[in-house]
């Protein structure tokens, strides 16, 4: 591994210690309350930083076992690096509330971010370097939500902003926050009906998860008035049928017609050439909605089709493949194939969930854990806290026996 010079952190004051602990849990996607959490966190820290922390050290840091000594400087260095900060001072400063929301330095940096989207010319919609830049930008916005509105309004006016920020990297965990709010800018700037369908389909997902029946109906009514071209990108076609499925399941309408039409559309599609981004496929966009609405057999068809059609996933695709395995395990559990569900469950690496939907994936993983093996009260508490944070109230009954 390449050596990294870590910053030196002095003794952490009690209030700053809690800031660091909270930031670690936010990065990890859930509270650290069990020894298993510490083992999984130690694995994720190594994957992100190339530095190792013993799980027992993490147990002491999170007060799961008593310790006579404070965490070492090396431990604090690695934990700070894991959270994406070069120093603890930077982490602490990022958490301070500014009276005017955006200070001068932030405004300058915001202008720089917007310039990246305005001035970057991309020959195709799968530039890995630019994708990495957008991912880092999203992480910065998560830590500085006060900048999000101006940023999203500005980049929605750019082709690269619409394609990469809104379409290629939808921030599911923030549908109830700045990303969901920013979709209105994307919709307003999109000229093609299919792009508007995509934006409204994500709003339908948000409203379905929230239990917002009126909002779901309002956004779906717009989709019904728009025409979807057969040449629309696969992921938009998948989102289109997902929105239909979410709406009719909420309205108590039989889903057979939508499922049949989705299948007919799917078999007419040609596989995407090369090694595509799995999130840009019909199957990935549609299978989650099938799980959410209880169509488990159909979900297995699309998930297995996707995994067999594109068996060789690059490292960057592992978070998406990991999420597909989670959906597959849920489907297997719900149709009564418990042994297969449990086998798949133990293949899932929670540290590899996409940061864009990590908390939602974590809810599903924790619920699956309780479903296939009796969960603890701490497990239930974590599920409740994550659902409350996301606002996705309808998840509470998804895996009810």
């Amino acid at each position: 591994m390449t050596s990294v010079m870590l910053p030196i952190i002095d003794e952490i004051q009690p209030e700053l210690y809690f800031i660091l602990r909270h930031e670690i849990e936010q990065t990890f996607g859930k509270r650290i309350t069990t020894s298993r959490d510490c083992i999984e966190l130690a694995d994720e820290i190594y994957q992100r930083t190339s530095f190792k922390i013993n799980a027992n050290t993490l147990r002491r840091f999170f007060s799961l076992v008593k310790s006579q000594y404070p965490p070492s400087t090396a431990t604090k260095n690695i934990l700070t690096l894991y959270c994406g900060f070069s120093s603890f001072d930077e982490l602490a400063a990022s958490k301070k509330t500014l009276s005017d929301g955006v200070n001068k330095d932030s405004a300058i940096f915001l202008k720089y971010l917007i310039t990246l989207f305005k001035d970057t010319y991309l020959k195709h919609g799968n530039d890995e370097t630019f994708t990495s830049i957008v991912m880092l930008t999203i992480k910065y916005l998560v830590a500085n939500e006060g900048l999000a509105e101006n940023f999203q309004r500005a980049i929605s006016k750019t082709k690269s902003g619409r394609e990469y920020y809104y379409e290629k990297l939808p921030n599911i965990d923030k549908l109830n926050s700045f990303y969901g709010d920013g979709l209105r800018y994307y919709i307003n700037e999109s000229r093609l009906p299919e792009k508007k369908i995509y934006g409204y389909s994500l709003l339908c997902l948000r409203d379905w998860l929230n239990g917002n029946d009126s909002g779901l109906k309002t956004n779906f009514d717009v989709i019904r008035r728009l025409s979807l071209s057969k040449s629309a990108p696969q992921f938009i076609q998948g989102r289109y049928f997902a929105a239909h499925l979410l709406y009719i399941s909420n309205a108590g309408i039989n889903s057979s017609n939508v499922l049949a039409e989705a299948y007919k559309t799917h078999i007419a599609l040609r596989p995407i050439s090369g090694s595509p981004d799995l999130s840009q496929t019909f199957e990935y966009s549609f299978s989650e909605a099938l799980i959410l609405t209880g169509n488990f057999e159909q979900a297995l068809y699309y998930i297995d089709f996707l995994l067999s059609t594109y068996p060789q996933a690059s490292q960057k695709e592992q978070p998406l493949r990991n999420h597909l395995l989670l959906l597959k395990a849920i489907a297997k559990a719900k149709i009564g194939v418990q042994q297969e569900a449990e086998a798949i469950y133990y293949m899932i690496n929670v540290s590899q969930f996409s940061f864009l939907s990590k908390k939602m994936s974590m809810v599903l993983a924790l619920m699956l854990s309780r479903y296939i093996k009796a969960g603890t009260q701490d497990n239930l508490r974590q599920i409740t806290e994550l659902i409350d944070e996301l606002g996705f109230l309808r998840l509470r009954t998804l895996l009810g026996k």
Side-chain angles (χ1 to χ4, degrees):
M1 298 290 182
T2 303
S3 61
V4 177
M5 184 65 69
L6 292 171
I8 296 176
I9 302 176
D10 296 326
E11 284 299 315
I12 299 179
Q13 299 173 5
E15 64 272 24
L16 299 184
Y17 163 80
F18 286 109
I19 288 176
L20 177 55
R21 191 158 82 170
H22 175 74
E23 191 65 26
I24 293 168
E25 290 178 331
Q26 289 294 305
T27 303
F28 187 53
K30 67 173 183 176
R31 289 181 58 223
I32 309 300
T33 60
T34 67
S35 294
R36 180 174 177 81
D37 292 337
C38 292
I39 293 171
E40 293 171 348
L41 175 60
D43 179 62
E44 178 161 339
I45 288 172
Y46 179 71
Q47 291 189 37
R48 281 178 177 249
T49 69
S50 300
F51 291 94
K52 291 184 177 180
I53 289 185
N54 190 284
N56 289 327
T57 300
L58 294 173
R59 291 187 188 100
R60 290 191 293 271
F61 184 82
F62 285 93
S63 304
L64 301 184
V65 295
K66 291 184 178 180
S67 176
Q68 296 179 337
Y69 306 101
S72 68
T73 298
T75 295
K76 292 179 286 187
N77 285 338
I78 296 170
L79 291 175
T80 301
L81 186 65
Y82 166 70
C83 295
F85 296 89
S86 60
S87 70
F88 186 77
D89 287 342
E90 180 186 349
L91 186 154
S94 73
K95 298 302 173 185
K96 291 181 180 179
T97 302
L98 299 173
S99 59
D100 57 355
V102 180
N103 62 19
K104 182 178 179 180
D105 290 340
S106 295
I108 293 172
F109 188 60
L110 175 63
K111 185 176 180 179
Y112 166 72
L113 290 176
I114 294 170
T115 300
L116 283 178
F117 287 85
K118 286 184 175 180
D119 295 347
T120 301
Y121 173 74
L122 302 169
K123 292 183 178 180
H124 54 79
N126 195 29
D127 187 292
E128 292 190 14
T129 300
F130 193 70
T131 298
S132 298
I133 292 173
V134 179
M135 290 172 68
L136 291 172
T137 300
I138 294 170
K139 291 179 180 179
Y140 182 81
L141 291 177
V142 170
N144 300 272
E145 292 193 15
L147 300 176
E149 182 175 359
N150 290 337
F151 170 80
Q152 292 181 138
R153 182 189 293 111
I155 62 106
S156 68
K157 300 179 184 297
T158 70
K159 183 174 184 291
S160 58
R162 292 191 296 273
E163 290 185 357
Y164 281 80
Y165 179 82
Y166 285 106
E167 297 171 11
K168 190 177 179 64
L169 297 168
N171 196 341
I172 303 301
D173 279 354
K174 292 299 181 180
L175 273 177
N176 265 331
S177 182
F178 63 85
Y179 180 80
D181 293 338
L183 283 170
R184 67 183 184 272
Y185 301 128
Y186 168 85
I187 291 169
N188 288 339
E189 294 295 335
S190 297
R191 298 292 178 261
L192 295 176
E194 64 199 42
K195 303 286 186 172
K196 293 183 181 293
I197 286 173
Y198 170 76
Y200 281 110
S201 71
L202 287 177
L203 292 178
C204 285
L205 174 62
R206 180 196 65 185
D207 293 332
W208 188 92
L209 288 167
N210 293 346
N212 180 1
D213 296 346
S214 62
L216 175 59
K217 184 180 185 306
T218 297
N219 289 312
F220 182 71
D221 283 344
V222 178
I223 292 176
R224 280 199 290 206
R225 294 195 296 268
L226 295 170
S227 298
L228 180 67
S229 168
K230 292 183 179 181
S231 62
Q234 283 196 23
F235 73 95
I236 293 181
Q237 295 192 53
R239 291 287 181 189
Y240 172 81
F241 285 107
H244 277 73
L245 197 58
L246 293 170
Y247 175 75
I248 64 174
S249 72
N250 191 64
I253 302 171
N254 187 285
S255 62
S256 57
N257 288 339
V258 169
L259 294 174
E261 189 63 29
Y263 177 75
K264 180 181 177 181
T265 298
H266 177 253
I267 61 175
L269 296 174
R270 293 183 179 180
I272 302 173
S273 61
S275 179
D277 183 337
L278 295 181
S279 68
Q280 303 298 287
T281 63
F282 180 99
E283 299 87 359
Y284 192 91
S285 299
F286 190 43
S287 59
E288 185 174 76
L290 288 165
I291 292 292
L292 293 175
T293 55
N295 293 282
F296 303 112
E297 293 278 7
Q298 292 85 352
L300 285 172
Y301 164 76
Y302 289 103
I303 293 169
D304 286 338
F305 182 94
L306 183 57
L307 293 175
S308 62
T309 303
Y310 309 106
Q312 301 299 322
S314 63
Q315 188 62 34
K316 69 181 179 65
E317 294 297 318
Q318 285 305 122
L320 303 181
R321 188 167 291 263
N322 209 42
H323 185 69
L324 286 171
L325 289 176
L326 173 60
L327 297 180
K328 184 173 181 177
I330 291 172
K332 290 286 186 180
K334 292 299 290 184
I335 65 173
V337 191
Q338 291 295 109
Q339 287 187 333
E340 286 189 42
E342 191 164 348
I344 297 170
Y345 170 78
Y346 285 111
M347 293 169 57
I348 297 168
N349 186 345
V350 297
S351 69
Q352 288 192 352
F353 288 139
S354 168
F355 78 98
L356 295 165
S357 57
K358 187 167 190 174
K359 291 179 180 178
M360 181 170 173
S361 296
M362 195 67 72
V363 170
L364 298 179
L366 290 169
M367 295 178 79
L368 177 61
S369 173
R370 289 181 62 82
Y371 190 84
I372 64 177
K373 54 177 189 173
T376 65
Q377 195 63 30
D378 281 339
N379 182 302
L380 180 59
R381 188 180 304 113
Q382 290 179 48
I383 292 172
T384 301
E385 289 177 351
L386 283 170
I387 289 176
D388 288 344
E389 181 179 348
L390 292 168
F392 298 162
L393 306 182
R394 190 158 281 176
L395 293 181
R396 289 175 177 168
T397 58
L398 178 62
L399 288 181
K401 290 191 176 182

